[in-house]
Amino acid sequence: MRRAGRARTGTLAATAALVAGLLGVGGSAAGAAGNAVTRNAVTGNAMPGNAVAGNAVAADDCDTGVSLPPREQAGAKIQEIRKRGRLVVGVDQSAYNWGYRDSQTGKIEGFDIDLARAVAKSVLGDPDKVVLKTIATADRINVLKDHQVDLIARAMTVTCERKKQIAFSAPYFKVSQRVVAPKAAHAGSVAQALGGKRVCAALNSSSHTELKANAHGAASVVTPDNQLDCLVLMELGEADATLSDSSLAAAMVAQDQTMELAGESFLPTYMGVGMNQDDTDLIAWVNQVLVEWRGGGWQASYDTWLRPSMGVPDPYRPW
């Protein structure tokens, strides 16, 4: 497959983007959130069947599966976007199959990009009326709060801590925490993969939050701005393992066949589209897009980008 052939080149090229003195932090105390999914949650890797509410209660009555009811109403934010004539979306350019810059065409493609274009088509009538603005993992919250983008479609995990700062759409993918490690490490569990190891996690990611709350025995933690940098650091022998959400973990393994998913998954939760809390009309509109995307676009995009690395998703069902 052409994309797979480009993957290794992309990770090696990204080495040049690493700068000296990456911030290293040890495991310390900080609360992790968004860590439970009840029996009514969507199974496997598939998208939930309902775009309004779920039962993934994490803590303090925070439900990571709840968002505003879907509705198409042109409020202040939708009118602003239409007047501008472009939807501005924060995306990744290094998350293989999710938001990834094609080294041959220069275009950013992937599952999350398909979703961004679906929103643009719904709001503006044209999927190409979208500005894809590449955003570092560490900057996602701030660019939304500062209105630098209209929304973030960037494999973003819904957590209770993040919901205090920004709003999320209804979930569109179920994820959990997974460890990526070299096959040569022969790590059969999370404890074996992380214990005494140099562990990488993108700065301000849900995995970084988890390692601050529970270092899982890691000797040290390195936190680059983007998840792809963790793969590069492992390839360079400067990190022993990476903690990531399962979607990006699968993408890393697809990029480098010397890596594998090590041990068990844990802390299941969801991914959602991030938005500013003030933009209630956009939140409801995106939820309506998700309802419609579920009618065929979601599956078509999954088959194109994710099926080769993640397999056939379990059937999704309504809450």
Side-chain angles (χ1 to χ4, degrees):
M1 182 178 296
R2 189 165 60 93
R3 295 194 310 276
R6 294 193 300 269
R8 182 72 176 181
T9 301
T11 59
L12 294 178
T15 305
L18 288 175
V19 295
L22 289 172
L23 175 64
V25 295
S28 59
N35 61 350
V37 176
T38 68
R39 70 182 188 279
N40 290 327
V42 61
T43 59
N45 297 318
M47 179 184 65
N50 183 298
V52 183
N55 292 313
V57 178
D60 300 327
D61 296 325
C62 165
D63 190 331
T64 57
V66 166
S67 185
L68 294 179
R71 184 180 184 184
E72 289 187 356
Q73 182 176 26
K77 185 62 179 181
I78 296 296
Q79 292 178 26
E80 174 192 326
I81 294 168
R82 286 177 170 171
K83 182 178 180 179
R84 184 197 310 140
R86 291 289 186 272
L87 178 74
V88 182
V89 182
V91 299
D92 203 341
Q93 64 175 343
S94 59
Y96 188 52
N97 293 328
W98 289 88
Y100 190 81
R101 189 177 295 278
D102 187 306
S103 60
Q104 296 183 15
T105 67
K107 295 181 178 179
I108 301 177
E109 302 175 327
F111 187 85
D112 280 333
I113 308 307
D114 287 353
L115 174 54
R117 294 189 182 282
V119 176
K121 182 178 180 180
S122 178
V123 174
L124 297 167
D126 186 342
D128 293 328
K129 288 186 176 181
V130 59
V131 175
L132 302 177
K133 186 172 182 178
T134 57
I135 303 296
T137 302
D139 297 334
R140 292 175 296 183
I141 299 292
N142 287 336
V143 298
L144 281 173
K145 293 173 70 174
D146 294 343
H147 300 279
Q148 296 179 40
V149 298
D150 298 317
L151 54 89
I152 295 280
R154 197 188 179 285
M156 194 170 187
T157 304
V158 183
T159 70
C160 294
E161 186 62 32
R162 287 174 179 168
K163 289 187 74 171
K164 296 176 183 178
Q165 304 177 74
I166 63 171
F168 282 96
S169 71
Y172 66 91
F173 215 88
K174 181 184 176 184
V175 293
S176 59
Q177 291 294 306
R178 294 301 306 266
V179 176
V180 178
K183 292 179 179 178
H186 303 293
S189 67
V190 170
Q192 290 175 349
L194 301 184
K197 302 298 195 302
R198 299 166 298 171
V199 180
C200 189
L203 182 65
N204 294 340
S205 65
S206 57
S207 301
H208 179 205
T209 299
E210 168 60 14
L211 288 170
K212 288 193 293 182
N214 179 0
H216 294 273
S220 62
V221 178
V222 61
T223 53
D225 284 343
N226 289 297
Q227 202 68 39
L228 178 64
D229 294 343
C230 286
L231 178 57
V232 174
L233 288 171
M234 289 192 294
E235 292 173 336
L236 294 175
E238 297 178 12
D240 302 310
T242 293
L243 185 63
S244 177
D245 70 61
S246 54
S247 59
L248 298 180
M252 283 189 277
V253 171
Q255 284 178 280
D256 188 337
Q257 295 184 1
T258 69
M259 303 291 169
E260 66 179 355
L261 299 176
E264 65 278 13
S265 64
F266 61 103
L267 298 181
T269 186
Y270 303 111
M271 291 192 330
V273 177
M275 287 164 280
N276 189 289
Q277 292 176 338
D278 294 336
D279 299 335
T280 54
D281 59 327
L282 179 61
I283 299 164
W285 196 294
V286 169
N287 286 340
Q288 182 61 41
V289 172
L290 289 174
V291 171
E292 296 167 1
W293 202 43
R294 187 172 302 120
W298 187 95
Q299 188 65 56
S301 186
Y302 184 94
D303 291 344
T304 298
W305 300 109
L306 304 179
R307 184 188 291 268
S309 61
M310 303 189 76
V312 180
D314 293 335
Y316 61 83
R317 62 177 184 267
W319 279 308

